Amino acid sequence: MSWKEKWQKWKSYATLDKHLLERLINIAEDERELEDSFYKDLTFGTGGMRGILGPGTNRMNVYTVRKAVEGLSLYLEENVVDAKGKGVAIAYDSRYMSQAFAIEAARVLGAHGIRAYVFESLRPTPLLSFAVRHLKAAAGIMITASHNPPEYNGFKVYNEDGGQVPLKEAAAIIEKVNQVQDELKVNAEDQKKLEENGLLQWVGEEVDTAYLAQLKTIQKQENSENNLTIVFTPLHGTAYNLVMKGLDQIGFTNVHVVEEQAKPDPEFSTVSSPNPEEHQAFEMAIDLGKKVNADILIGTDPDADRLGIAVKDGNGSYQVLSGNQLGTLLLDYTLSHTDEIERENGKLVKTIVTTEMGKAVATHYGVDTIDTLTGFKFIGEKIKQFESTNDKFLFGYEESYGYLIGDFVRDKDAVQAAVAASKLANYWKKQDKTLLEALDILYKEHGFYLEGMKSLTLKGKDGAEQIAKIMQDIRNHPFETLGGLRVVAIEDYETSLRTVPADNSSEEIALPKENVMKFILENDVWVCFRPSGTEPKIKSYFGVKTTSKESSQTLLDHIQAEVEQRMDQILKDK
């Protein structure tokens, strides 16, 4: 069907949701908006789907959610033993329509006789991961768009291990979703009927309590003097209760909350982006931090799977650490407080775009490093594999502010990270050092690693074509030098080949195929390109290492400028 035929079908559907129908009427004269709403089906990818709220097959709404859950239900019936008895855990964040989508998911599952365990109020993503394992459910659904703008929502799927579904499972679920011919006609059972027959069960604080008990197990030192002053902002999301309880139960009581950002708010009205990767998200926390003389500021994104922190610099101001910096500090703290015997067969798991400084730190402690593709689902998948080997998971992280210490959760966990970062800061404070000073110690020991990321947003159908054009050009005409350094290896994850230009030799990359290009340069420098799987962006990642902070910054600036110039030229060329 053409987009116009799909539009007409929705517009004339007798029982179309009245709010969606209103919106369709309002945009009836905006052909560009209508086309973007209907020109394709909202992509159900390897981690689920994410999109703008509104009517249409390319939007997040009750019908596209029902279609996704219908496909998941069909998959579970065929592939998971006793899926109906085990049920599906469902959680949701503070966004528009999140609770409604959670209930719609339960209604579709119920139509298949599959029990749904739905949280009675909003919860963080890592708690959903934990809940799947705790309840021994067949799968999990998280309604969230993470740190996307307010007009977005999303749908993430977890398997019975509590991890985001790996590629093979995802492909099978996607196949089932794509078999659903008409999203408007998916059967959804009556909510009250499901509650009466036990197919919709509401979950209260019992899972929170079990999670908090596990949270105590990630401590890497005994409770002692906790004289740290903390400022915390949940950025209008889901983290408030668990973070506050988690800090309190290990003795951190001097915690000041940014009250204006403590309550859930789907508009995220006090920030331009509810993303702790963005420094502007910390503006109110910094103001409060100065008033109370805080040692550390911590901020979580709306679904509480990412954590950002800011720490004092030498001038009395606060500096936001990068995900690579915080991850490396947490890694060093974790390994230094882990007995040598426990470190045997231990593994650090990180992504291919995460700093190589982590590998240097892990090697220092005799711990091996495993690289995965970008996305925490691959780290969760590795943890599952370790259960059948002698390997032990010790720490996992990615540059985009995602960390995991205790494997009772199988996704990145900002609640764990908030507690661990507070312990970390408290440890260094006792030695009269800030985290910036602690970072300098690591730089002097392992080298001055510095990373950067540039994100180019190209929205809509035209944007998707431009992103494809950039990747094709980089693949067909690879860089030979960058920043005056020679490219010594090219890793194309779409073809799974690592090529050495000097002798044109190649070897296979033992990772799943993905549309990613990585260039390894001399002196431990690298650049990587990948389209985002959840946003209309192409991301460029950079990593350098030199003998000083200044020279690392200079080299990073030169390489980033060259890459930007190349991208601008690709977009200009017809």
Side-chain angles (χ1 to χ4, degrees):
M1 295 174 73
S2 69
W3 71 262
K4 288 186 178 178
E5 289 172 321
K6 290 180 184 177
W7 168 47
Q8 290 294 340
K9 174 184 152 187
W10 274 55
K11 193 173 65 168
S12 59
Y13 189 63
T15 58
L16 191 75
D17 177 269
K18 64 178 183 179
H19 299 292
L20 295 177
L21 181 59
E22 267 179 39
R23 178 64 183 156
L24 276 182
I25 293 169
N26 290 339
I27 63 171
E29 303 302 318
D30 189 344
E31 186 164 308
R32 188 182 182 89
E33 174 70 12
L34 283 172
E35 181 181 7
D36 194 57
S37 299
F38 287 97
Y39 84 95
K40 66 171 185 174
D41 289 352
L42 187 63
T43 303
F44 191 99
T46 55
M49 63 185 186
R50 192 179 297 182
I52 295 170
L53 291 160
T57 57
N58 189 34
R59 294 287 186 263
M60 281 290 297
N61 52 64
V62 293
Y63 303 107
T64 52
V65 168
R66 286 177 185 173
K67 178 180 176 179
V69 182
E70 178 71 7
L72 175 63
S73 301
L74 294 171
Y75 169 82
L76 293 175
E77 287 174 335
E78 289 186 16
N79 294 278
V80 178
V81 176
D82 192 28
K84 293 182 179 181
K86 291 176 178 177
V88 175
I90 304 175
Y92 53 92
D93 69 6
S94 55
R95 289 179 175 274
Y96 288 117
M97 298 298 294
S98 282
Q99 186 182 55
F101 289 161
I103 293 170
E104 288 302 317
R107 292 180 63 207
V108 174
L109 289 165
H112 287 265
I114 301 173
R115 181 178 292 107
Y117 299 98
V118 184
F119 280 93
E120 60 187 8
S121 58
L122 53 82
R123 292 295 195 283
T125 289
L127 191 75
L128 183 276
S129 171
F130 176 80
V132 173
R133 297 172 60 80
H134 181 73
L135 297 170
K136 296 181 171 56
I141 294 171
M142 183 71 201
I143 306 296
T144 178
S146 189
H147 55 276
N148 278 61
E151 63 268 23
Y152 280 79
N153 212 328
F155 177 101
K156 291 167 72 173
V157 179
Y158 290 76
N159 64 11
E160 55 187 329
D161 185 53
Q164 292 186 53
V165 286
L167 296 178
K168 189 175 179 182
E169 286 180 54
I173 295 171
I174 291 166
E175 184 179 353
K176 291 296 183 184
V177 173
N178 291 339
Q179 286 174 8
V180 180
Q181 295 297 311
D182 192 343
E183 65 282 339
L184 297 176
K185 295 182 180 178
V186 172
N187 189 23
E189 188 57 87
D190 178 71
Q191 178 182 337
K192 214 169 245 187
K193 184 177 177 181
L194 293 175
E195 291 171 337
E196 288 169 358
N197 62 25
L199 285 178
L200 197 171
Q201 296 185 14
W202 295 98
V203 180
E205 293 185 0
E206 59 271 20
V207 176
D208 303 33
T209 301
Y211 172 89
L212 288 166
Q214 286 293 315
L215 191 60
K216 290 181 182 178
T217 67
I218 71 167
Q219 286 184 241
K220 293 299 177 183
Q221 65 182 106
E222 289 299 315
N223 273 356
S224 53
E225 271 182 74
N226 290 332
N227 61 349
L228 202 71
T229 301
I230 303 168
V231 163
F232 168 50
T233 172
L235 294 178
H236 303 295
T238 60
Y240 178 83
N241 286 332
L242 284 181
V243 168
M244 293 298 287
K245 289 177 181 177
L247 291 172
D248 181 69
Q249 73 180 6
I250 59 169
F252 288 107
T253 56
N254 193 11
V255 183
H256 301 263
V257 178
V258 180
E259 294 298 338
E260 300 91 334
Q261 298 174 332
K263 291 182 180 178
D265 174 10
E267 278 296 320
F268 311 112
S269 53
T270 66
V271 291
S272 57
S273 171
N275 184 356
E277 293 182 64
E278 306 287 346
H279 291 203
Q280 56 77 30
F282 275 94
E283 287 177 0
M284 297 184 83
I286 288 171
D287 289 341
L288 180 56
K290 290 178 179 177
K291 288 177 185 175
V292 301
N293 193 29
D295 298 296
I296 183 174
L297 319 177
I298 57 180
T300 53
D301 71 342
D303 68 322
D305 62 354
R306 297 170 193 252
L307 175 85
I309 72 168
V311 297
K312 281 182 182 176
D313 62 19
N315 303 314
S317 298
Y318 290 92
Q319 180 176 322
V320 180
L321 297 185
S322 72
N324 284 311
Q325 290 171 330
L326 176 56
T328 303
L329 283 166
L330 286 170
L331 171 67
D332 179 76
Y333 174 77
T334 300
L335 297 184
S336 68
H337 287 82
T338 302
D339 292 340
E340 190 173 346
I341 293 174
E342 289 182 50
R343 294 200 301 260
E344 287 183 12
N345 299 319
K347 304 294 180 187
L348 159 68
V349 190
K350 71 176 189 66
T351 71
I352 59 172
V353 297
T354 300
T355 179
E356 289 301 301
M357 190 174 180
K359 183 176 181 180
V361 170
T363 301
H364 174 76
Y365 290 104
V367 171
D368 292 333
T369 299
I370 295 176
D371 281 320
T372 71
L373 290 177
T374 307
F376 224 88
K377 61 179 173 284
F378 296 109
I379 295 177
E381 189 177 14
K382 281 294 176 187
I383 298 172
K384 175 63 176 175
Q385 290 171 10
F386 292 163
E387 291 177 359
S388 57
T389 68
N390 290 325
D391 298 316
K392 286 185 290 190
F393 173 79
L394 295 180
F395 192 81
Y397 74 122
E398 59 183 2
E399 50 73 40
S400 56
Y401 291 66
Y403 323 95
L404 186 65
I405 301 103
D407 64 2
F408 53 91
V409 169
R410 296 298 167 89
D411 202 353
K412 52 187 177 285
D413 186 346
V415 181
Q416 281 192 34
V419 170
S422 299
K423 297 289 286 185
L424 165 74
N426 193 58
Y427 167 79
W428 283 106
K429 183 178 180 180
K430 287 179 181 176
Q431 300 179 53
D432 295 320
K433 287 183 170 55
T434 68
L435 289 187
L436 290 176
E437 290 169 327
L439 197 57
D440 280 336
I441 292 172
L442 294 182
Y443 283 141
K444 287 168 185 172
E445 186 170 4
H446 302 290
F448 285 86
Y449 290 82
L450 190 61
E451 294 76 35
M453 193 274 284
K454 295 288 185 181
S455 184
L456 179 61
T457 300
L458 297 163
K459 293 183 179 180
K461 183 181 178 183
D462 292 343
E465 292 170 355
Q466 288 175 309
I467 289 171
K469 180 183 176 182
I470 291 171
M471 289 300 297
Q472 183 180 5
D473 192 272
I474 290 172
R475 187 167 274 117
N476 293 342
H477 308 285
F479 292 97
E480 296 180 3
T481 62
L482 275 168
L485 298 174
R486 183 171 48 90
V487 172
V488 296
I490 301 169
E491 295 177 347
D492 187 340
Y493 290 84
E494 192 166 73
T495 61
S496 297
L497 285 178
R498 186 180 198 269
T499 305
V500 177
D503 59 8
N504 205 31
S505 62
S506 61
E507 62 181 355
E508 189 173 347
I509 299 171
L511 287 174
K513 293 182 184 294
E514 192 168 276
N515 185 18
V516 175
M517 288 289 291
K518 187 173 183 179
F519 296 86
I520 316 298
L521 291 89
E522 300 170 287
N523 303 339
D524 293 325
V525 176
W526 57 271
V527 179
C528 189
F529 303 90
R530 62 176 285 270
S532 171
T534 56
E535 300 170 279
K537 296 178 178 179
I538 180 168
K539 296 184 176 182
S540 309
Y541 302 84
F542 309 87
V544 303
K545 175 195 172 187
T546 72
T547 56
S548 74
K549 195 176 293 186
E550 294 74 23
S551 57
S552 289
Q553 188 63 60
T554 299
L555 179 58
L556 180 64
D557 291 343
H558 285 166
I559 292 175
Q560 287 179 332
E562 281 188 52
V563 167
E564 284 186 39
Q565 187 177 10
R566 170 75 181 273
M567 284 192 171
D568 287 343
Q569 190 59 51
I570 293 170
L571 293 175
K572 286 176 185 175
D573 291 342
K574 292 185 179 179

